[in-house]
Structures are given as C-alpha cells and as structure tokens.
Amino acid sequence: MLDIDKLWSDVSDKLSAQMITVSYEVWIKNLEPVCVTKDGALVLLAASQSAKKMVNKNYQTLIDTAVKESNSLLSHALIIEESEKEKYIKLQDENIADEKLYLENKLKAPAFTAKYTFDNFVVGSSNKFAFAAAQAVAENPGTKHNPLLIYGGVGLGKTHLMHAIGNYIKQHKSDLKILYTPSNNLTNELVDSMVKGNKDKDVNTNFREKYRNVDILMIDDIQFLAGRTGTQEVLFHIFNDLFQNGKQIILTSDRPPKEISPLEERLRTRFEWGLIANIVPPDLETRVAILQKKAIVDHAAQVSPEVLRFIAEKVESNIREMEGLLTKVIFYANLIGKPATSLDVAYDALKDYVDNKSNVVDANYIIDVTCSYFNILKSDLCGKKKNKEIVEPRQICMYLIYEILGLPLNTIGGYFGGKDHTTILYAKDKISNLIDTNNIVKREVSDLYKMIVKN
Ligand code: ADP
Ligand code: MG
C-alpha cells in the first residue's frame, strides 16, 4: 500500500528546495495529505478556504510536478478543504482496487511526529483530563483504561496526544509493538488484503494475523468508520483478540461514539468500555500558552505576550488554525525586518484575517500593501521620483492593480498622479516579462500577491 506520509514528505522536500522559505512555510507546510485518488491525484487538505485558493492559484503547477516526480503513478495534486475531506475518504474505498497504486504493505515502526510529545502539550482545564488519561495509558499500557477514547473537535490536540503516547512508549518501552493507523487506512488495508491475500484463508483471518503481535493499537479518527460495515466487522474481531490478551487500544474521534452513525452496536459498546476523555476548546489563557510554546518549539522566535494574545483572540476553537496565524505573523515580521513583538506588525500581518470577508481589495489597499512591503512612502510610490528603488515597486504596483482588479489603464493612471494609459501598459508588460526572467521580481510579485489576495 502506498505510504501517503512518506510520499508527502518526499513531495514537500522537493518543494522546500524550490521555494522561498516564507512561501513554503506559509502555504506548503500547513497542507496535510489525505489520500490518493484513482485518477492519480494526491489529495491535500488546506487549513482554510482561503489557503486552498492561494495554493491553487500560485503553487498548483509546482506541486503537480513534485508529485509526479515522487511517484510516477501519480499525475497531480488536488487541494481540498475540511468540508470536502469526508467525501475523499469515502471515495478512497473505491480506489483501492486500483492495485498498482499501492505498493507492498508492511508493518513497520510507525513514525510519530517528533514534536508531538507530552512536554510540548500545554495543559489547561479544557484538556487536562485527556492529558492525564493519555499519560496513564503511556505509563501502564493495557492495564487500565482500555480502550482509551479521546474525542473532541478538529484541531484540539487529539492526534498530538496519541502521538505523545507513541513517542513515550517508543522511548521508555521500546520492546512494545505499536500499530498506529488513521481509521481510513484501516479500510484501505483491509481491501488491499482482499486483493492480495492468500486465497486459502478468508480475508478476516488474513487481516487479523497482522495484528496478532501488536501490543498497542492506535486508531485515529474512528468517526470515519461510520457506514464501513466490512471494516467494522474486522475491527470487532481485532478488538476482541487484543482486549482479551491485555493489549492496549487507543482511539480518537471528533464526536462521541453514540454520534458515529451507522456504527455496529457491539462495536460502539466496546468503544465505550474503557475511559472516554473529552477535549473542549481551550480558554484564552491556555491558547496564549500554546502559542507561546509553538513560538519557541516551532519557530525559535520571540513573540511578545500582547501579540500572542492578539492572535489567541482571533481563533477560539481550532489550535491548528491559530498556529497558522502565528506562522503568518512571524514570517511577515521577518519579511519586513521588524520584530514579532510589535502589535502593529501582528495587526498588519493579519489584516485580512481581522476584516475577513468584509475586507475589500481595492487599488488603495494594493498601494498600501506594496508600500509597506518595499518600505517606501505612499507619496513616493504614487509620485514622480525616477530612481530604481521607487520605479520598480511602482511598476509592480501598477501591474498588480491591473492583474487583480482589472481596472481600465487610465483609471490606474489616476492613482499615480494622472499617468496616461501608455505608461501603465508599459509597466504591465515590463513586469510580466520580468516575472519570467528575474527571480527577485517574480518572488516580490508572488509575495505581494499572496498578501493582497487572501480570500
Ligand atoms: P486533532 O487531531 O484534534 O484534530 P491535532 O492533534 O492535529 O488536532 O492538533 C492540531 C495542532 O494543534 C497540532 O499542531 C498540535 O500540536 C496543536 N495543539 C493542540 N492542542 C495543543 C496543546 N494543548 N498544546 C500544544 N499544542 C496543541
Ligand atoms: Mg487528528
């Protein structure tokens, strides 16, 4: 079976080598691989609708190429957002039959994300129960709290805690065999084993053999088991095998078991046998503490408490999204060469997020963004100075206004002290040529474009 995480890590390595760090950090690093489709697409989940649009617009071709290079059976990438995710995971079922896409599947030591540790998890009233339960299970697997089920909304740290258990066990009890699988992979594997399995044994037996020697089974996002009758059936038997042998089972879900539907009743009751720990959205103080930790662990950056608070106030119920804003602020600060300790910087970086949909991109906005990007005065940008440091930004600004807003050339001229349409036309042609021939200009335009067109 195709190892999607490995594939994505290959693809992102390629992208990272080709892109400037800022763009890579902001747009690529936040994508999450979901599945591979029958027509050869690697499906990638963007953190938001606007992120999806930006990636589509600016990086689609680059990503397509990297995907093709990483696996010759694939042809392109498909960027989706959260609301489309379920559809693709369902679709995945039908794809497995396309056997050639799936390489040899072997039970290998799962790669837990190194930074998803207990140490890096900030504990607050919203998650302390789940945290304590996860620690107890990591210290004494199989003895109490079996199964452990952690449930809560998207981006609240369920996967983080699961990996933290995995990392802890790998470090402290390295003889234990752990099997970590997102629930949709379970379905893929099952279908895969039907295709490739030993014809003398039934599928169920084949599949269960794989799990016989596992000490700890982790299934992430069990809500996707809903309606998967075949997978549920097999899982029921695996569950019983492991449970009877005192092996630890750990599950996560974005909703309580009774809301996973349709789900076989006998499986549901088993999910509820052990300990159920709920994670709810963290309060403001916890969110600030989480951001503080991320600033240090992920970015080694100094961010002031006011800025952290400013960010934490923007997002209430999804830590992943909040982290995205932190990344934006830190990279914007780097870009303009100011410290991420100033509220002004944070405000500018998140301007579009603050005003969100009500924010209309107009010519003045594009002029403002261009001025702050090049650190020049508006009176200079729109004035008559002829030195290169001003002229090129001015032409880039004209180009962007033309490309983004499609205003008539004369109208654009009006913003620059009444220049006539031939000047604007000249600027537009010159910049579009430079984009093809000059990497610096290309990068400047794409940075600006990204800052301006965020929705
Ligand atoms: P879920 O699986 O619940 O959707 P994740 O575990 O993927 O969410 O968490 C999303 C992001 O938020 C991860 O980067 C994770 O490290 C971070 N996160 C969530 N809760 C915490 C916390 N309490 N402390 C530190 N980071 C957290
Ligand atoms: Mg998760």
Side-chain angles (χ1 to χ4, degrees):
M1 191 175 304
L2 188 73
D3 181 343
I4 191 157
D5 290 327
K6 167 82 172 61
L7 170 68
W8 176 234
S9 127
D10 290 348
V11 173
S12 15
D13 284 349
K14 286 192 179 21
L15 293 171
S16 147
Q18 292 172 54
M19 293 171 67
I20 58 161
T21 317
V22 180
S23 321
Y24 176 78
E25 291 280 346
V26 174
W27 303 113
I28 306 301
K29 227 178 147 183
N30 289 325
L31 296 172
E32 196 183 302
V34 177
C35 63
V36 163
T37 67
K38 206 171 192 163
D39 58 348
L42 169 63
V43 180
L44 298 168
L45 177 65
S48 64
Q49 176 76 32
S50 50
K52 172 182 158 174
K53 280 192 188 158
M54 279 307 297
V55 175
N56 271 156
K57 259 191 195 138
N58 297 321
Y59 304 112
Q60 184 74 51
T61 326
L62 206 59
I63 306 178
D64 287 351
T65 311
V67 167
K68 273 184 267 186
E69 284 173 2
S70 299
N71 186 321
S72 59
L73 297 170
L74 302 179
S75 59
H76 61 291
L78 186 66
I79 316 295
I80 61 163
E81 39 119 9
E82 194 67 42
S83 64
E84 300 162 88
K85 187 172 170 186
E86 204 148 342
K87 182 174 92 195
Y88 280 101
I89 282 162
K90 286 216 177 89
L91 217 149
Q92 180 83 336
D93 283 9
E94 305 156 23
N95 299 337
I96 318 297
D98 196 355
E99 207 186 334
K100 65 175 186 184
L101 272 180
Y102 292 89
L103 313 170
E104 206 29 52
N105 177 30
K106 46 184 181 297
L107 185 69
K108 57 171 175 28
F112 294 109
T113 304
K115 63 182 186 188
Y116 286 176
T117 59
F118 288 126
D119 281 348
N120 287 342
F121 194 83
V122 174
V123 185
S125 54
S126 60
N127 57 31
K128 65 169 188 270
F129 185 69
F131 179 81
Q135 269 195 326
V137 163
E139 281 159 18
N140 295 298
T143 51
K144 50 181 172 181
H145 308 326
N146 206 12
L148 169 63
L149 168 60
I150 300 173
Y151 82 87
V154 175
L156 293 183
K158 302 181 297 291
T159 299
H160 185 137
L161 278 181
M162 204 176 226
H163 283 227
I165 299 174
N167 281 320
Y168 181 95
I169 291 176
K170 266 171 81 176
Q171 194 185 346
H172 294 91
K173 303 169 201 294
S174 53
D175 53 323
L176 295 186
K177 288 206 186 80
I178 315 174
L179 193 126
Y180 169 91
T181 171
S183 78
N184 48 312
N185 278 10
L186 203 64
T187 304
N188 298 346
E189 276 182 43
L190 176 60
V191 183
D192 195 51
S193 84
M194 286 182 198
V195 178
K196 295 198 183 128
N198 182 335
K199 299 273 174 336
D200 301 333
K201 294 179 188 159
D202 75 65
V203 171
N204 221 323
T205 318
N206 250 328
F207 195 65
R208 277 164 69 184
E209 274 180 2
K210 249 191 74 167
Y211 291 83
R212 194 175 277 161
N213 297 319
V214 169
D215 297 300
I216 293 154
L217 175 64
M218 299 179 167
I219 308 179
D220 209 355
D221 289 322
I222 56 164
Q223 72 271 10
F224 295 125
L225 294 171
R228 306 277 178 78
T229 331
T231 317
Q232 289 180 25
E233 162 84 24
V234 175
L235 185 57
F236 173 77
H237 295 291
I238 293 172
F239 190 105
N240 289 345
D241 287 350
L242 292 175
F243 191 84
Q244 277 156 20
N245 292 316
K247 309 298 189 188
Q248 179 70 48
I249 297 151
I250 304 165
L251 312 161
T252 73
S253 168
D254 72 352
R255 65 200 77 174
K258 62 175 179 304
E259 289 173 23
I260 304 175
S261 169
L263 179 68
E264 268 189 68
E265 203 47 40
R266 56 180 188 169
L267 200 53
R268 186 195 316 277
T269 52
R270 272 162 182 75
F271 288 166
E272 292 171 341
W273 265 353
L275 184 65
I276 301 187
N278 187 11
I279 304 187
V280 296
D283 58 24
L284 183 65
E285 296 317 312
T286 310
R287 299 205 299 279
V288 170
I290 292 173
L291 284 173
Q292 173 78 67
K293 189 133 234 169
K294 296 283 165 195
I296 296 165
V297 172
D298 292 359
H299 305 283
Q302 278 293 328
V303 184
S304 66
E306 303 84 71
V307 170
L308 294 177
R309 201 179 170 90
F310 175 78
I311 300 170
E313 277 167 350
K314 301 272 161 284
V315 185
E316 292 191 348
S317 58
N318 185 334
I319 310 290
R320 193 178 294 121
E321 198 176 336
M322 196 173 73
E323 285 175 26
L325 299 191
L326 176 70
T327 309
K328 271 193 188 153
V329 171
I330 290 173
F331 280 95
Y332 180 74
N334 280 345
L335 202 64
I336 61 167
K338 292 192 176 150
T341 46
S342 132
L343 257 188
D344 288 350
V345 171
Y347 186 83
D348 278 351
L350 303 183
K351 212 169 182 175
D352 69 308
Y353 198 86
V354 178
D355 308 341
N356 217 357
K357 267 141 213 124
S358 65
N359 179 30
V360 181
V361 173
D362 58 16
N364 279 316
Y365 178 70
I366 296 176
I367 290 170
D368 287 345
V369 175
T370 310
C371 287
S372 70
Y373 180 83
F374 289 109
N375 206 6
I376 55 184
L377 294 172
K378 192 167 175 173
S379 54
D380 285 341
L381 188 91
C382 299
K384 295 194 174 353
K385 284 193 180 165
K386 293 253 184 325
N387 43 325
K388 186 165 189 274
E389 297 78 71
I390 304 289
V391 171
E392 199 161 275
R394 183 185 295 145
Q395 291 174 329
I396 287 178
C397 189
M398 290 168 173
Y399 168 87
L400 286 167
I401 295 176
Y402 181 84
E403 286 295 323
I404 294 169
L405 301 175
L407 295 179
L409 299 171
N410 271 329
T411 312
I412 299 176
Y415 288 96
F416 297 88
K419 296 207 162 49
D420 78 14
H421 72 279
T422 52
T423 312
I424 310 299
L425 194 62
Y426 174 77
K428 174 178 102 56
D429 290 344
K430 183 179 160 199
I431 299 303
S432 65
N433 283 334
L434 282 177
I435 289 172
D436 292 333
T437 55
N438 180 324
N439 277 333
I440 296 173
V441 171
K442 182 178 174 176
R443 193 191 66 194
E444 288 167 347
V445 171
S446 94
D447 283 346
L448 278 164
Y449 193 89
K450 197 168 63 194
M451 288 160 72
I452 294 162
V453 188
K454 286 171 175 166
N455 291 303

